[in-house]
Each structure stands twice: as C-alpha cells, then as structure tokens.
Amino acid sequence: MRYAKCIIIPDDEGLHPVDRRIEAHPDISRDLLHNVNLLADETIVTLYQFTGDRDALKSILEDSSRVRKYQLSGVDDVIHAYIHVEADDRLVGLLSMLTKFEFIFDTPLEFTRRGGLCVTMIGDVKSFQKAVPDVPDGIRLKLLKTGSYEPDTDRLYSQLTDRQQEILRTAVDMGYYDVPRAVTHDDIGEELGCTGGTVGGHLRKIESKLLSQVVP
C-alpha cells in the first residue's frame, strides 16, 4: 500500500465559495478538515475544525445560499462544524477524481499558512501519475513525497494548531510534565515570549482536546 503526500493549491477563487469566505475572515482560522464526502446528488458534506469567532462563522453560514444545513459544537474558541453545501464544480471534480482512481484520504487534512490543503492520499502508486490530467482547472497539486503507507501515530498531535504544538513541545522539553514538575507557566512563557497566563490557557485547551479523545 502506497501513499502520496501533496498540497492542494487552489487559485484565488478557492475550493468552494463558502470555504473561501471563511478563509478570508480575519477572526476565523481553518485548522483541520476531518472529513469531506461527495454525496450521490453531488452535494458535499464536510467536518471542519476552526478556531475563532463562533458568531462570525454562523453569520457566514447563515448568509450563504450554498449552505443546506450546518451544526456547530466545541468549547471556547475551538469549533467543530458539520457543513452540508451545494456542489461547486471544481470541488466535485476533485472528489470525483479521487473516487475514479480509488484513492482515500488519511484524515485529518491540514490547512497550510498560504491557504492550501495538505493531504495524504492512499492508493495504487501508478494511479497517482494517471490522475494528474484529471485535476480540475484552477487547482494545482504539489507533490511532497511518496512512500509505503503506515498508520499515522501522530494523529492526535496533528489536530493541534501550530501554536499549540509549539507550546506543548516547549512544555515537554522544559520538564513541565516531569514528576516533580521542573518549570512553571511563567518559565515557559519567558522561553516563548508570552505571559504565563497565556501558556496556562493554551495548555488547558490542549489537555482538554487530547484527553477528551483518549478517555472513553
């Protein structure tokens, strides 16, 4: 079993008008795309993870005629969003290509800082080359690497934002989780150039996010 890791790079129109509006909002960050499915009627259902202003996100979803329905959950500024949208030709074309060549995504999919979507596609290695001509106009695939596929042992860690990963790595490296504890929030904050309160807030969110998925 093989995989190809690549970045999906859309043009200025984005992958879908609703996604483009969310991306452009200054108070909403697209963190992860946990799932995306093309239905038989060529509508699309997605499961996003956002960080930011919940009311701003609701306003975008309610104002769009392309959104059939949505549901939001999560705590604080972390938002999980189930969104069912009307089809967009380029996204339908991309998902149809994946079905045609029998690819599956290794989820979650990660958004890049430049607006792309980093994906790992699992399938037959020969199909990767055959699929390139079927990529819809306005979308470019940048291949990062290929290899033999093994399940991602860093799945939980990958669900954290870049800033959360940085804070958690620093806390572990400095001994915050040692017994006895070697450093305080203030020590970590001094290392990262922020306050101890900021560090404590991030660590509580990180622990809530990870432990809620570990404990049955």
Side-chain angles (χ1 to χ4, degrees):
M1 186 163 44
R2 303 285 292 179
Y3 77 91
K5 186 172 185 178
C6 60
I7 298 178
I8 299 173
I9 306 172
D11 61 17
D12 292 340
E13 294 183 15
L15 290 173
H16 190 279
V18 176
D19 180 78
R20 182 68 186 88
R21 286 189 62 192
I22 295 171
E23 178 193 4
H25 198 286
D27 298 324
I28 305 172
S29 172
R30 299 176 306 163
D31 297 331
L32 298 169
L33 184 57
H34 286 284
N35 215 329
V36 54
N37 284 320
L38 178 64
L39 304 184
D41 62 356
E42 291 197 341
T43 61
I44 298 163
V45 290
T46 60
L47 181 61
Y48 278 90
Q49 180 177 315
F50 300 108
T51 303
D53 189 327
R54 185 183 300 260
D55 289 336
L57 176 61
K58 287 177 65 175
S59 179
I60 292 173
L61 297 177
E62 290 176 0
D63 288 346
S64 175
S65 61
R66 307 291 290 273
V67 176
R68 286 196 171 185
K69 60 182 177 180
Y70 71 90
Q71 296 180 23
L72 305 181
S73 64
V75 295
D76 298 326
D77 62 347
V78 177
I79 309 164
H80 293 92
Y82 166 89
I83 307 173
H84 184 183
V85 295
E86 300 286 350
D88 181 83
D89 289 344
R90 66 175 60 198
L91 189 51
V92 168
L94 181 63
L95 295 176
S96 298
M97 179 202 76
L98 297 174
T99 301
K100 175 182 177 181
F101 291 98
E102 300 179 352
F103 296 140
I104 58 174
F105 284 133
D106 186 22
T107 57
L109 316 181
E110 301 179 43
F111 290 96
T112 69
R113 292 183 179 181
R114 296 186 177 182
L117 189 61
C118 185
V119 303
T120 298
M121 296 186 295
I122 304 163
D124 176 53
V125 66
K126 294 180 181 178
S127 297
F128 296 135
Q129 298 173 344
K130 295 178 182 178
V132 172
D134 282 30
V135 176
D137 292 341
I139 294 177
R140 181 164 59 91
L141 291 184
K142 179 180 179 182
L143 181 64
L144 300 180
K145 61 180 178 179
T146 63
S148 298
Y149 175 75
E150 297 293 339
D152 184 4
T153 58
D154 296 327
R155 186 179 302 276
L156 288 177
Y157 183 74
S158 70
Q159 295 182 32
L160 303 177
T161 66
D162 289 346
R163 182 60 168 165
Q164 288 174 335
Q165 290 180 4
E166 179 185 26
I167 289 174
L168 182 58
R169 280 198 307 268
T170 303
V172 170
D173 291 344
M174 293 182 67
Y176 179 76
Y177 291 102
D178 290 354
V179 181
R181 183 165 288 166
V183 294
T184 66
H185 291 164
D186 288 336
D187 296 327
I188 299 170
E190 184 176 352
E191 177 71 18
L192 293 171
C194 61
T195 67
T198 297
V199 170
H202 276 292
L203 288 178
R204 284 190 293 274
K205 291 177 183 178
I206 291 167
E207 291 160 3
S208 174
K209 183 182 296 184
L210 299 184
L211 291 177
S212 65
Q213 297 186 64
V214 172
V215 179

